[in-house]
Structure formats: structure tokens, C-alpha cells
Amino acid sequence: MSSASNHEFRNFNQPLGGDAVPRFAGIATMMRLPHQATTDGLDACFVGVPFDLGTSNRSGARFGPRQVRSESVLLRPYNMATRAAPFDSLQVADIGDVATNAYNIFASIDRIEKAYDGIIANGCRPVTIGGDHTIAWPILRALHRRYGPIGVVHVDAHADVNDTMGGEKIAHGTPFRRAVEEGLLDCNRVVQIGLRGTGYHADDFDWCRQQGFRVVQAEECWYRSLVPLMKEVTERVGHGPVYLSFDIDGLDPSFAPGTGTPEVGGLTVQQGLEIIRGLRGLNLVGADLVEISPPYDPHGTTALVGANLAFEMLCVLPGVQYRD
Ligand code: MN
Ligand code: MN
């Protein structure tokens, strides 16, 4: 079946339009898409992981999924810049939230991992709304089980490769250390973008480089378009499975103040868009947007940025049609 006839015979979910029901009305699913409980029949899904037991400073990321859904009601189905029309060719729904355990970090990690085993079993590609960054570890465990070693594009102010935090192995600053130790990553296909700020040692980011990661510190991004960088990134990650993990604190706090561990001198919204749009054509097996903390986001700006970034992630998944 050609993609054109495929389009005729499949009835794809569409975001509810603003003329049908006002944008401020109704139950706020992501992009006003239908909600369904499982990924049966889905090519991609939005899923929330309300969890912040791993945070080291300001908490509140447990409220991220709900707030991003609320700000996502303004999103329309077509990408005016890239011409991506994800709902022309992908079946997408909001599958709700993973039921984390608010009293137990270990039980939560276990529940997240098991949930993602199910979410990706039929090839569905999840766009996750966190949650703090701890959640990337159990998600990568599930992805590795299905796809093998994963390449990662990691946008963040922080490397998140601490051995421990407060003596604990599981925290929002340790997920990529755990992932490397467990062999989940294809380390030569890992790129970290936006790292910056104060540290404990001058060589804090060198552990990453020693693993084979390409580390792009924020200063390397200042005052320039990231389109050339993304050409290098796509060549590096190649055709293998790749995961995008986007910590909202990779952006500058002037754009995204509602987060737990803000660092000055970060990426612009435009650079964030260039990074995501630059992933078009890759075998993106999933993506997350983490560390949005609504209690520190009084105007909803951070959640609005996050909602748009999540839509852009959907727009670069394999199989998306472009109305060129
Ligand atoms: Mn992070
Ligand atoms: Mn961070």
C-alpha cells in the first residue's frame, strides 16, 4: 500500500480544533488529542511521567505533565516552519501518565521501566513529558531491551553523569552514568549540548568525553545558529536508534525559568528548535522533555515552551509526512 492510499484508508486522530470547542474548554489532553489507555494501533504517543523524587534543589516537576498539557491547548496540527504534518500520517494519542509511587523512588523507577516496556512493545514512539531527569534511565533500559545500544542527543545545562548524589545512585543528576555502566548507550553516538555553569572540578565534563561522548558546552553555541552543529550531530548518530532527552534547563532561564536547577548563559528557544528540527531523518525511537517545574513557572512560559518543543519532537519522528 502506498503512503497516499494508506492515508485514504486510515483514520488518523486529529487535535481538536479551536472552532469546534474553544481552546480553553474541555479536558486538557496533550494537543487536545484523544486519550487512550494503551499504545494499541499508535505510531506515536504523548505520555506523562509525574515524578520529582530525584530532584536536588527545587522540586515540582511532578506537576510538569499536567501543566504542559494545559499550555498545549494552543497548538495547531501543522508546523508552519518545517511543513511537517504529523497527523497526516501518524496515529497519535495521549496515553496519560505512568502511575509513579510518590513515596518510593525505587518502586517508581521499576514502574516506569515496566510501563515503557509496554509502551514501545508494538513500535510506538513515545514523546514523554516529565518529570525530573531521573526518568531517562528506566526509559533507556526499556529502549535498550527492544532496540539494543541507543544513541542519545542530550540537551541540558548539566551532564547528569554523577556517580552519586548525597550518596545515592538514583537521582536526577545520575541517569546517564547509570546508563553507561549498564551498557545501554552507544557512547560514540551520544552528544550532549548546552552544558555549562559552575562545577566542583575543572574536569567535570571530561568523564563524558572519556566515554566517547561529543560534549558541546553552551559557550560553543553562543551567538550562532546551531544548524551547522546539527549536521555534525546527524552524521555522528547515523542510522542507528537514537533517543532525544531534552532537559528544559538546557535553555536559558530567561526563556524557561520554571525549573529546578537553572543555570545562566543557556540556549535560546530558537536554538532549541534548531536542535530538534535538525534530528529529522534519524531513527528517533523516542524523546523526552524533562525538568519543567510549574510551581516556579508562575506565568506558564516554561510549560508553553515545553509544549511547543514536544510538538516539534513529534514532527521529526520517522514516518511524518511533509506538505512540501
Ligand atoms: Mn538533566
Ligand atoms: Mn539540567
Side-chain angles (χ1 to χ4, degrees), residues 110-125:
D110 192 48
R111 287 183 183 190
I112 294 165
E113 188 176 336
K114 286 190 168 70
Y116 277 78
D117 279 337
I119 287 166
I120 64 176
N122 63 1
C124 179
R125 295 167 196 257

Side-chain angles (χ1 to χ4, degrees), residues 133 154 156 158 160 172 247 249 290-291:
H133 221 152
H154 172 207
D156 205 320
H158 312 97
D160 291 354
H172 75 154
D247 184 328
D249 72 30
V290 295
E291 298 283 355

Side-chain angles (χ1 to χ4, degrees), residues 18-252:
D19 289 338
V21 177
R23 295 204 169 271
F24 46 83
I27 296 166
T29 57
M30 193 65 193
M31 290 196 73
R32 310 175 96 213
L33 284 161
H35 168 260
Q36 68 178 59
T38 72
T39 57
D40 287 351
L42 299 183
D43 302 301
C45 68
F46 289 111
V47 54
V49 183
F51 172 90
D52 60 11
L53 295 179
T55 51
S56 55
N57 188 35
R58 303 168 175 172
S59 57
R62 66 179 61 184
F63 302 112
R66 180 161 291 187
Q67 192 64 28
V68 172
R69 286 190 178 99
S70 184
E71 294 296 338
S72 79
V73 299
L74 192 57
L75 293 172
R76 303 158 193 95
Y78 180 64
N79 191 320
M80 297 300 292
T82 69
R83 299 178 176 261
F87 306 104
D88 279 10
S89 56
L90 297 186
Q91 183 70 317
V92 189
D94 184 332
I95 64 162
D97 289 343
V98 175
T100 49
N101 181 331
Y103 307 98
N104 189 318
I105 196 167
F106 304 101
S108 290
I109 293 299
D110 192 48
R111 287 183 183 190
I112 294 165
E113 188 176 336
K114 286 190 168 70
Y116 277 78
D117 279 337
I119 287 166
I120 64 176
N122 63 1
C124 179
R125 295 167 196 257
V127 176
T128 298
I129 312 296
D132 76 48
H133 221 152
T134 315
I135 69 172
W137 175 46
I139 293 171
L140 285 166
R141 277 181 152 183
L143 289 170
H144 176 265
R145 203 154 27 242
R146 191 179 193 288
Y147 296 104
I150 307 290
V152 175
V153 176
H154 172 207
V155 182
D156 205 320
H158 312 97
D160 291 354
V161 293
N162 293 294
D163 182 21
T164 58
M165 295 180 82
E168 300 296 327
K169 291 278 191 181
I170 305 175
H172 75 154
T174 68
F176 298 101
R177 181 72 160 244
R178 298 289 89 80
V180 169
E181 288 170 350
E182 296 185 346
L184 309 181
L185 307 186
D186 188 351
C187 289
N188 292 315
R189 296 196 301 117
V190 175
V191 182
Q192 297 181 299
I193 306 172
L195 276 53
R196 63 185 186 276
T198 50
Y200 289 102
H201 307 284
D203 59 357
D204 272 357
F205 299 149
D206 288 347
W207 186 87
C208 307
R209 296 185 174 103
Q210 288 158 9
Q211 310 313 307
F213 297 3
R214 166 78 161 98
V215 176
V216 184
Q217 290 184 224
E219 289 77 6
E220 197 178 329
C221 304
W222 286 358
Y223 317 118
R224 55 180 61 128
S225 164
L226 297 189
V227 171
L229 171 69
M230 294 314 294
K231 187 170 185 304
E232 180 204 321
V233 169
T234 54
E235 284 167 6
R236 177 175 278 261
V237 303
H239 299 294
V242 62
Y243 184 71
L244 170 64
S245 194
F246 199 121
D247 184 328
I248 198 71
D249 72 30
L251 301 188
D252 191 82

